[in-house]
Amino acid sequence: MKILKLTETASTNDVLLAHPAPPNGEIVVAIADYQTAGRGQAGNSWESERGKNLLFSILTCPQNIAIADQYVLSMAGALALKAALDRYTNHITLKWPNDIYWRDRKISGTLIETTVKGKRIDRCVYGIGLNVNQREFRSNAPNPVSLYNIIGRETPLEEMLDAVLRSFELYYRRAVEGDRDGICAEYNAALFRREGMHAYEDCATHERFEARISRVAPNGRLHLTDTQGLERTYWMKEVRFIV
């Protein structure tokens, strides 16, 4: 694994998107003390106090993953983050499609950018923001939390990064070696609000309804069952959790 350490950059994802393809399946990591233009899904920004959190990206070239199964890579990355955080606290869950939650609060988010070649994934860049030691959040983000807020003490960033990368290597190898079903099962078992009925909003119609999660498929589609017993399926950004 190759690690690029940066004091400041616009975006670690941009650094790795421009990086040459690594040889022999090597994983490349870019980590910055501060990002001036860090971003999340749909162009959302990520608030981070300088030097307090982990802001990093991971470049992989999983060329044996079919485009239809690319969300399995997202599942693997989410499970790696959960495994690392589980060493420090309980109640960590995976909020579809790309967040990590502690109880009802967001501790981490991931932006995944992929390129394709033919019918396969050519390269996949995971952009990860993980709130580690920040004590206060001043943006209008509704529910951020840091590991410091949870456990009441600071955690060395190098220690946390090492835990995440060790877990990532394990889950990523499982994904590229074909353990799609095992990763999907583990991901679904760890989902935020996995049990019971909860409130959602259809982003197209603005209808609010209650439903339970049936599953998230390998292609990333969320399957819900509403109070009438009807199945509703959604892609990313088509439905909103009411938190």
Side-chain angles (χ1 to χ4, degrees), residues 46-49 52-54 85 88-90 92 100-109 129-137 143-155 157 160:
W46 181 269
E47 178 193 357
S48 181
E49 186 178 344
K52 291 295 186 180
N53 303 315
L54 283 179
L85 287 166
Y88 297 90
T89 187
N90 299 319
I92 297 295
I100 311 297
Y101 265 46
W102 174 78
R103 298 188 185 274
D104 283 341
R105 301 177 70 183
K106 179 176 175 177
I107 191 170
S108 179
L130 175 58
N131 297 330
V132 183
N133 294 321
Q134 188 160 335
R135 301 188 184 193
E136 296 181 4
F137 295 87
N143 59 344
V145 70
S146 70
L147 186 59
Y148 177 89
N149 296 148
I150 298 167
I151 65 176
R153 59 179 173 81
E154 291 202 352
T155 301
L157 296 182
M160 176 58 76

Side-chain angles (χ1 to χ4, degrees), residues 3-71:
I3 299 180
L4 309 174
K5 295 186 177 181
L6 309 168
T7 302
E8 182 176 304
T9 188
S11 164
T12 52
N13 261 35
D14 289 345
V15 170
L16 292 187
L17 286 169
H19 193 279
N24 303 317
E26 182 184 35
I27 294 172
V28 181
V29 179
I31 181 167
D33 291 335
Y34 186 70
Q35 294 188 63
T36 59
R39 61 188 185 274
Q41 288 289 346
N44 296 327
S45 62
W46 181 269
E47 178 193 357
S48 181
E49 186 178 344
R50 186 184 295 268
K52 291 295 186 180
N53 303 315
L54 283 179
L55 307 169
F56 64 104
S57 297
I58 303 173
L59 168 62
T60 64
C61 294
Q63 296 176 0
N64 60 338
I65 300 290
I67 294 173
D69 290 339
Q70 64 180 298
Y71 193 74

Side-chain angles (χ1 to χ4, degrees), residues 123-188:
R123 62 167 57 195
C124 177
V125 175
Y126 298 76
I128 298 169
L130 175 58
N131 297 330
V132 183
N133 294 321
Q134 188 160 335
R135 301 188 184 193
E136 296 181 4
F137 295 87
R138 297 179 174 82
S139 74
N140 59 359
N143 59 344
V145 70
S146 70
L147 186 59
Y148 177 89
N149 296 148
I150 298 167
I151 65 176
R153 59 179 173 81
E154 291 202 352
T155 301
L157 296 182
E158 297 83 0
E159 175 184 302
M160 176 58 76
L161 179 65
D162 182 69
V164 172
L165 295 181
R166 286 177 183 273
S167 295
F168 181 86
E169 280 193 297
L170 293 174
Y171 280 102
Y172 175 72
R173 295 304 173 197
R174 284 177 57 186
V176 298
E177 289 171 6
D179 187 18
R180 187 191 77 164
D181 292 346
I183 288 174
C184 286
E186 193 171 340
Y187 177 88
N188 275 278

